[in-house]
Amino acid sequence: MPPRHPPLMPRRWLVALAAVGLVACGGGGGGGSGDSGDTAPALPAVDTSGVAAADPGSALPAHWQQGAFMEIFVRSYKDSDGDGVGDLRGLMAQLDYLKALGVTGLWLMPVTKSQDGDHGYAVTDYRSVETAYGSLADLDELLRQAHARGIGVILDYVINHSAARHPLFVNSAAGSDNAYRDWYVWRSPKPGGWNIYGGDPWHAYGGSSYFAAFWDQMPDFNLRNAAVATWHQDNLRFWLNRGVDGFRFDAVGNLFENGAGAWENQPENYALLGGMRAVIDGYANRFLVCEGPSDPAGYTTACGSAFAFGRNGDIIAAAKGDAAAVQRVADHPRTAPAGLSTMLSNHDSFAGQRAYDQFGGNLAQYKLAAATYLLQPGTPFIYYGEEIGMAGGNLSGDPRLRTPMSWSGDTTNAGFTTGTPYRTVSANVAGFNVAAQQSDPGSLLAHYQAMLALRRTYPSIARGSYDNVSASGSVMSFERRLSGERTLVAINYGGSATAAAVSGLPANAVLANAHPAGAADAAADPAGQASVVLAAQSVRVFSIR
């Protein structure tokens, strides 16, 4: 979900838009008459062409989406041409790194053309690629290369709103008689008494007001209009037909409004998403995950997966030794719906700062948090740079979280570009970067590789049940079970060594060590009980035989 922003309106647009009277909204115009008379420039053409399903199939293995994903901000990941901006070809060059890390999926923050020129959530063309990132051919090649490595690619899709400069909104704003007027939410007179995220979502223009909850340059679609929903479904098919492996839907809690006190998580949201999911489910081996921070369970049911907002804070607190949080972390998967997606942080500051900053550089706690969400149930999403302990940049707001990837310790360009980065690099780039950690077996990067290797080696960890759960003070243990495979995980979040008392095991079972490398096996007694010795702030994983 993007933040509210001040208007971004270059002078060349102000001059052009003044001619059609849409300076406040963004603009240009196509397809209907305006209110500005014969001197108004022609409205821009609108593409609402239908797209028939043409599934190219899937080259990915079954259960690829139950591995782990990397969330990538393409603008900040890797620059291939020295212009200081990350691009699709730069990302392609790092696919071997991502495969070696062990991820099986990539979530790309918006790569479509946008008005904001940064975060990408103000979409101006739903069927094209941002020019700074490359072309549709580059995206096709990225898909081909990722699939060859067993990695799926899902795209961020903005269903709630478009950019004000999108041709559809320019037409909609041209006048009440425009054919696309009802594609957005307009009211006259302006409704009163509304407050969303600390601001009035209604923006006056031309004697009426349009609804835009996040930013006046991102007007909300009127999703009650069946033609709008159909158009979104056609857009999804456009990308699915090219081989895209699914989507992350942005801001699904905000799709419908039924009044000033009923603008979030409305019943219509879930029904609409069901229709969108049906389109995606019509293609083989695809995946959908939704962002609905205030109802993760409801949106998991509607979408198949949704992010478990709130749980990330509990994992962070548990890793710091909070016993109550340890209990909540242990209990959560027992009551949560199957399919939840988990994380430590992401691109939005409301979800928390980067993990390094939340832990104040305490790497022992950091590793415990990583082990927790990578070994418990859920589809984990790693935010780019998390695996090397990237800190935020010396910036404010969300840009602090979206700095260039730290490939090297170069404090000027971080190995991200041969030119000048479009944004300052992370504050700890000198000591926390890929080059410094790749040959260090004790590094954070090595720890992430080890956790992801466990998910690949033991299918029970990636997609098994969650059983035999115990939490006592700073110690938690649980089993993951699948088709006869049983894996035991024990975590000590405390600052001193202890022993975890585990029961419910097979009589005289051998607990074969799986992590850390070189650690001793353990065994259960005839009653199926075992005492697992845990060093301070440590993780043990066993295969139960």
Side-chain angles (χ1 to χ4, degrees):
M1 185 184 301
R4 297 180 67 88
H5 292 275
L8 298 174
M9 197 62 64
R11 178 172 175 78
R12 64 183 183 277
W13 277 93
L14 288 171
V15 173
L17 299 181
V20 296
L22 198 55
V23 171
C25 307
S33 62
D35 293 335
S36 301
D38 295 338
T39 60
L43 295 170
V46 172
D47 180 7
T48 57
S49 58
V51 178
D55 185 5
S58 174
L60 298 174
H63 312 298
W64 69 270
Q65 65 270 48
Q66 291 173 304
F69 280 75
M70 179 71 75
E71 178 192 355
I72 290 176
F73 184 30
V74 172
R75 186 173 296 272
S76 284
Y77 202 63
K78 183 67 174 179
D79 172 23
S80 70
D81 58 11
D83 67 356
V85 175
D87 47 52
L88 293 173
R89 292 210 164 269
L91 171 56
M92 279 183 239
Q94 304 306 318
L95 287 174
D96 286 339
Y97 165 80
L98 291 162
K99 180 175 176 59
L101 177 62
V103 301
T104 61
L106 307 179
W107 156 25
L108 306 188
M109 288 174 61
V111 296
T112 43
K113 289 185 178 177
S114 72
Q115 175 176 327
D116 57 82
D118 189 349
H119 55 74
Y121 289 97
V123 181
T124 57
D125 187 343
Y126 279 79
R127 302 181 187 181
S128 68
V129 169
E130 179 68 54
T131 303
Y133 295 167
S135 64
L136 280 170
D138 290 330
L139 182 64
D140 292 341
E141 181 63 14
L142 171 64
L143 293 172
R144 189 190 71 77
Q145 291 196 25
H147 292 166
R149 294 165 172 82
I151 298 174
V153 179
I154 68 172
L155 303 184
D156 223 322
Y157 190 85
V158 187
I159 193 171
N160 179 69
H161 52 264
S162 75
R165 293 182 196 160
H166 194 288
L168 280 167
F169 185 71
V170 176
N171 276 265
S172 182
S176 59
D177 60 343
N178 187 278
Y180 295 102
R181 180 70 163 192
D182 195 42
W183 280 56
Y184 293 84
V185 181
W186 293 87
R187 295 290 182 271
S188 182
K190 179 180 178 180
W194 287 69
N195 187 315
I196 298 180
Y197 309 127
D200 184 350
W202 293 99
H203 305 278
Y205 170 70
S208 188
S209 297
Y210 66 93
F211 185 87
F214 293 109
W215 180 29
D216 68 350
Q217 297 298 296
M218 296 196 303
D220 281 36
F221 284 111
N222 174 19
L223 292 166
R224 300 184 196 279
N225 183 340
V228 177
T230 298
W231 176 75
H232 276 305
Q233 292 175 347
D234 285 326
N235 293 338
L236 298 179
R237 283 188 283 265
F238 174 86
W239 295 109
L240 292 166
N241 290 353
R242 302 189 82 92
V244 166
D245 301 294
F247 302 93
R248 177 262 190 186
F249 279 180
D250 178 65
V252 299
N254 300 71
L255 302 180
F256 289 88
E257 299 78 36
N258 290 312
W263 53 266
E264 189 175 29
N265 304 331
Q266 298 303 292
E268 298 93 331
N269 294 19
Y270 306 92
L272 180 83
L273 290 169
M276 300 296 160
R277 182 181 176 187
V279 170
I280 298 166
D281 286 348
Y283 290 72
N285 210 15
R286 301 307 205 270
F287 178 68
L288 172 63
V289 59
C290 288
E291 180 206 35
S294 57
D295 187 17
Y299 291 113
T300 293
T301 300
C303 301
S305 187
F307 291 102
F309 286 94
R311 177 168 168 76
N312 53 317
D314 282 340
I315 293 172
I316 297 285
K320 293 179 178 180
D322 182 330
V326 172
Q327 186 68 59
R328 292 194 299 272
V329 168
D331 291 341
H332 185 271
R334 293 193 281 197
T335 58
L340 276 174
S341 290
T342 54
M343 62 182 177
L344 294 185
S345 66
N346 66 17
H347 62 284
D348 282 324
S349 54
F350 78 80
Q353 294 299 311
R354 280 194 171 270
Y356 181 91
D357 295 316
Q358 292 193 62
F359 287 119
N362 187 317
L363 297 187
Q365 295 175 349
Y366 200 143
K367 290 178 178 180
L368 293 173
T372 301
Y373 91 108
L374 294 175
L375 300 179
Q376 276 195 310
T379 298
F381 280 75
I382 301 165
Y383 187 39
Y384 80 96
E386 174 191 313
E387 77 278 13
I388 56 169
M390 267 178 63
N394 294 317
L395 301 162
S396 60
D398 291 338
R400 171 178 170 80
L401 308 176
R402 305 174 187 179
T403 55
M405 175 69 177
S406 298
W407 295 104
S408 77
D410 189 314
T411 56
T412 301
N413 62 30
F416 159 75
T417 179
T418 57
T420 301
Y422 80 101
R423 175 173 289 157
T424 185
V425 299
S426 294
N428 66 351
V429 62
F432 290 82
N433 57 76
V434 173
Q437 295 190 31
Q438 279 187 314
S439 60
D440 180 1
S443 68
L444 192 60
L445 178 60
H447 179 73
Y448 271 79
Q449 288 173 322
M451 294 301 103
L452 294 176
L454 288 169
R455 289 185 69 89
R456 295 195 308 276
T457 302
Y458 299 98
S460 56
I461 294 177
R463 60 182 193 274
S465 62
Y466 183 68
D467 302 294
N468 201 13
V469 183
S470 174
S472 178
S474 61
V475 176
M476 175 177 71
S477 64
F478 54 87
E479 279 189 49
R480 307 297 307 278
R481 301 177 184 176
L482 181 69
S483 301
E485 179 183 280
R486 296 176 63 171
T487 307
L488 173 67
V489 177
I491 303 176
N492 177 17
Y493 298 102
S496 58
T498 188
V502 181
S503 59
L505 300 169
N508 301 311
V510 173
L511 306 183
N513 177 66
H515 178 82
D521 294 344
D525 64 19
Q529 298 178 334
S531 179
V532 176
V533 177
L534 296 168
Q537 296 180 304
S538 69
V539 179
R540 293 295 313 272
V541 181
F542 300 93
S543 176
I544 302 172
R545 300 173 183 172

